[in-house]
Amino acid sequence: MSRRRSSFTTFRVAALVVVVVVLLAPLVWMLLASFKSNVDIYDSSKAVFFSPTLDNYTKVLAQANYGRFILNSFWVAFASTTLSLLLGVPAAYAMSRFTMNRSALVVLMARVIPGVSLLVPWYYVFSNLRMVGGYTVLILSHMFVALPLVVYIMMGYFDGLPLELEESAMVDGLTPIGAFRLITLPLSVPGIATAGILAFIFSWNNFMFALVLSDAHTKTLPVAIFNFVGYASIDWGGLMAAATVVTLPIMVIALFTQKYIVSGLTAGATKG
Amino acid sequence: MATSAPALRTSVSTPAWARWANDHRKWLFAGPAMAFVAVLIVFPVAWTVYLSLTDAEGSVRAEKELTGAANYLDVLADTSRFWPAVLRTVEFTGIALFFEVVLGMCIALLLWRPFRGEKWVRVAILLPLVATPVAVGMMWRLILDPNIGFANQVLGWVGIPPQPWLAGEGSALVTTAFIDVWQWTPMVVLILLAGLTALPEEPHEAALVDGTTGWQRFRFITLPMLMPTVVVAILLRGIDAIKTFDILYATKGKGGGSFHEVETLNVYAYGLSFDYNEYGVASAVLILFFLIIIGSMWALTARRREELS
């Protein structure tokens, strides 16, 4: 028995090491390549040992005007997340407390609808209003991703908060809205943080909406990456530096908010 | 007495508008979000249905005429682009889902019981998940490059000839599916792990006393109890996998590559809309695509609904 136990432990450790290596090695490779000159990238003998250079990053940040794209990405993700929370948190509360299942279903359908089917009508309407290329359209389009996520996570969260707290607050003289504002909302901060962080990440990572609805000045980072992909050749060093610039902020946020991200991604998974 | 007195005081001191707001709070709270959804989602979907019945193409301001089911008949008869795209969508989603669920289950079981260094493994699992998909596509494009990529270098060490990966006409779709597996297996792991942690311990312990093997306990106790969570994982992941766009566009560009190697329905509908401006046909493809998604979700949850009713 004890020998079987220890052989299982050995197997488990080995398997976990393989999992970690497979998941992290590609990211490490991207990071390494972003510090290599293009000559070193083409030289397989310099896979791990090379003289690191910051040229790719100076090129990305200076020549390719990435400072602006970083701000674009940040502004669009921040605004769409904030607006989604403002609309989504009260809506989720009403849907949870009044069991508005049909309304909830309509909002959650947004997770199923292919984004392209919205892009065509949006493009139709917004180009007639001469709004394509502006921040407003980008923020609204990213809310399509963020709002259903907020409603989904917050509905689950409100379902889990006991009704008794609000009821006793109302007995003590608070109005229903007062009870929501002074009792439920402060208790929901972890849920709101979860929803906000995930909405921000998904908005930051979104590519397709900005691909169609942004212009040269408002494009977000995932679209701007394509500046390094030419028809004839690819500037690999610059491309990997650009890819690192997009992913690194989100990974840093993820490391510090791991608990919230995991609880948000698995929300509703165990209710069956 | 003590309970009724404060309630009385509030009803006197609250202004009329506040009382109105409290009485109508259901729609006051849900209304703005519902209005947003109606204007930006329900209305566009209805318009897509309308466009699919017209000959809309070219400029967005161009005149268009109702052509009835013509677009649908054309699309359904199209064996050069539409049906291959359907097959590719099924193949991509099938491969990705199968490996994500099987590998996800294995990794979740490995992580189930606490161990030293658990924190670090969890970090490794989280990073691919939050990485920007376009950047992930570019990253794999370099790693899988047939000439300079690290993947073929590794194969060379163990004596396997270099593979074309994304550049091969036959291998591109499978390769992109495995990029999806790399990025999204962690999502399945997290969901299954949440399900495993919520399972009751007693059946497991009882089976242990009965002298069962590890495989028997998994097959006859853990798996059946975990099944609802597995279905949720398949649903959530399937909905996203079938709509994959970023990875395909980042690795193969417009139209799913020069030979449409990775042109799934989503990529095809995007190309029709924004590369060819064939809005009418694109809308018909999108409606059919939507029906396929709803249909597979319905089939997937059919047994579960039966159990509930």
Side-chain angles (χ1 to χ4, degrees):
Chain A
M1 187 67 196
S2 74
R3 199 191 300 144
R4 269 190 59 194
R5 190 124 289 240
S6 75
S7 76
F8 173 73
T9 310
T10 318
F11 165 77
R12 190 184 183 199
V13 169
L16 284 171
V17 168
V18 170
V19 168
V20 170
V21 168
V22 169
L23 290 176
L24 291 188
L27 293 168
V28 172
W29 190 254
M30 171 175 81
L31 196 65
L32 286 180
S34 74
F35 290 107
K36 287 179 190 173
S37 69
N38 274 322
V39 177
D40 283 357
I41 287 178
Y42 279 86
D43 186 349
S44 64
S45 69
K46 300 226 169 109
V48 182
F49 301 104
F50 58 94
S51 43
T53 163
L54 280 174
D55 286 356
N56 295 319
Y57 285 96
T58 46
K59 190 164 55 190
V60 163
L61 293 172
Q63 279 179 33
N65 197 15
Y66 259 56
R68 185 179 178 114
F69 304 140
I70 294 174
L71 283 178
N72 286 345
S73 264
F74 184 82
W75 169 234
V76 171
F78 173 78
S80 60
T81 301
T82 311
L83 288 172
S84 296
L85 286 175
L86 282 176
L87 290 183
V89 171
Y93 178 76
M95 287 169 185
S96 163
R97 288 298 182 254
F98 295 98
T99 49
M100 304 161 74
N101 286 335
R102 213 167 300 156
S103 306
L105 190 70
V106 173
V107 178
L108 299 179
M109 272 309 264
R111 277 183 87 138
V112 183
I113 297 168
V116 190
S117 63
L118 301 170
L119 261 178
V120 176
W122 285 348
Y123 190 72
Y124 246 88
V125 172
F126 289 123
S127 65
N128 274 319
L129 297 169
R130 309 215 176 275
M131 280 169 74
V132 169
Y135 287 111
T136 315
V137 177
L138 281 177
I139 292 165
L140 286 175
S141 70
H142 280 218
M143 282 175 71
F144 161 72
V145 185
L147 182 65
L149 198 70
V150 169
V151 171
Y152 179 74
I153 291 174
M154 288 316 291
M155 266 186 78
Y157 199 86
F158 289 133
D159 283 345
L161 283 183
L163 267 175
E164 288 76 14
L165 288 170
E166 285 166 39
E167 279 165 2
S168 59
M170 285 193 275
V171 167
D172 288 344
L174 281 175
T175 59
I177 292 182
F180 168 72
R181 200 165 53 88
L182 297 170
I183 306 292
T184 314
L185 218 47
L187 284 174
S188 313
V189 169
I192 295 171
T194 301
I197 292 162
L198 275 184
F200 188 89
I201 292 178
F202 278 89
S203 169
W204 177 281
N205 284 348
N206 191 286
F207 167 63
M208 194 207 276
F209 294 147
L211 181 63
V212 173
L213 298 173
S214 68
D215 66 16
H217 299 289
T218 57
K219 68 168 89 161
T220 54
L221 284 171
V223 181
I225 284 190
F226 282 84
N227 288 359
F228 291 93
V229 184
Y231 281 105
S233 69
I234 295 176
D235 174 3
W236 286 113
L239 185 63
M240 288 306 113
T244 307
V245 168
V246 190
T247 28
L248 212 56
I250 245 28
M251 289 190 174
V252 172
I253 294 177
L255 286 183
F256 285 108
T257 58
Q258 196 178 349
K259 196 180 68 185
Y260 296 107
I261 294 178
V262 172
S263 78
L265 287 174
T266 57
T270 49
K271 271 191 302 192
Chain B
M1 187 62 209
T3 52
S4 64
L8 195 69
R9 207 185 313 135
T10 15
S11 64
V12 172
S13 63
T14 21
W17 64 265
R19 234 175 303 150
W20 182 90
N22 273 305
D23 290 346
H24 297 84
R25 65 186 189 281
K26 178 177 171 184
W27 289 107
L28 204 64
F29 277 19
M34 296 308 288
F36 176 89
V37 167
V39 173
L40 276 120
I41 298 175
V42 177
F43 163 72
V45 169
W47 196 338
T48 305
V49 175
Y50 161 69
L51 279 180
S52 74
L53 303 171
T54 70
D55 61 354
E57 59 165 339
S59 159
V60 289
R61 291 183 192 81
E63 295 282 315
K64 50 188 173 297
E65 270 175 36
L66 275 172
T67 51
N71 287 332
Y72 288 93
L73 297 177
D74 285 352
V75 166
L76 289 173
D78 174 12
T79 51
S80 70
R81 294 289 285 279
F82 177 73
W83 286 109
V86 173
L87 286 180
R88 282 188 213 106
T89 310
V90 172
E91 194 186 335
F92 178 91
T93 313
I95 295 174
L97 261 186
F98 176 79
F99 283 97
E100 279 160 22
V101 171
V102 171
L103 289 173
M105 179 66 88
C106 295
I107 299 172
L109 288 172
L110 281 174
L111 289 170
W112 187 10
R113 304 294 178 199
F115 59 96
R116 219 149 27 101
E118 197 177 341
K119 238 171 78 184
W120 298 104
V121 179
R122 282 172 184 269
V123 167
I125 283 181
L126 199 65
L127 291 184
L129 192 62
V130 295
T132 310
V134 174
V136 167
M138 296 300 185
M139 173 186 93
W140 281 104
R141 211 167 146 169
L142 172 63
I143 295 172
L144 297 171
D145 188 279
N147 303 313
I148 62 167
F150 188 58
N152 278 342
Q153 208 179 323
V154 172
L155 288 189
W157 294 342
V158 287
I160 299 171
Q163 300 295 314
W165 304 113
L166 292 162
E169 223 179 305
S171 59
L173 189 67
V174 181
T175 309
T176 52
F178 274 100
I179 298 176
D180 195 80
V181 170
W182 177 83
Q183 178 156 36
W184 294 109
T185 300
M187 168 95 168
V188 179
V189 173
L190 291 180
I191 294 176
L192 294 182
L193 208 50
L196 281 172
T197 326
L199 291 184
E201 284 287 330
E202 293 80 10
H204 200 266
E205 279 160 11
L208 210 60
V209 172
D210 289 345
T212 48
T213 65
W215 168 252
Q216 283 173 329
R217 284 195 299 278
F218 170 73
R219 173 68 188 79
F220 296 106
I221 294 169
T222 312
L223 192 59
M225 286 200 298
L226 195 63
M227 219 44 206
T229 311
V230 175
V231 173
V232 170
I234 294 175
L235 268 180
L236 287 178
R237 195 70 273 289
I239 288 169
D240 286 340
I242 203 169
K243 295 188 297 182
T244 301
F245 178 82
D246 301 14
I247 288 176
L248 303 176
Y249 195 92
T251 51
K252 296 298 288 179
K254 286 182 178 176
S258 0
F259 305 102
H260 311 301
E261 305 97 298
V262 299
E263 189 176 68
T264 59
L265 277 174
N266 214 19
V267 176
Y268 182 45
Y270 178 87
L272 277 176
S273 306
F274 298 106
D275 296 335
Y276 299 102
N277 300 328
E278 292 270 6
Y279 300 117
V281 185
S283 299
V285 170
L286 281 167
I287 298 296
L288 292 170
F289 183 30
F290 186 59
L291 291 178
I292 292 175
I293 298 177
I294 296 290
S296 15
M297 277 178 70
W298 193 80
L300 211 59
T301 50
R303 236 184 67 194
R304 182 140 182 77
R305 276 198 313 275
E306 247 168 54
E307 280 166 18
L308 285 175
S309 64

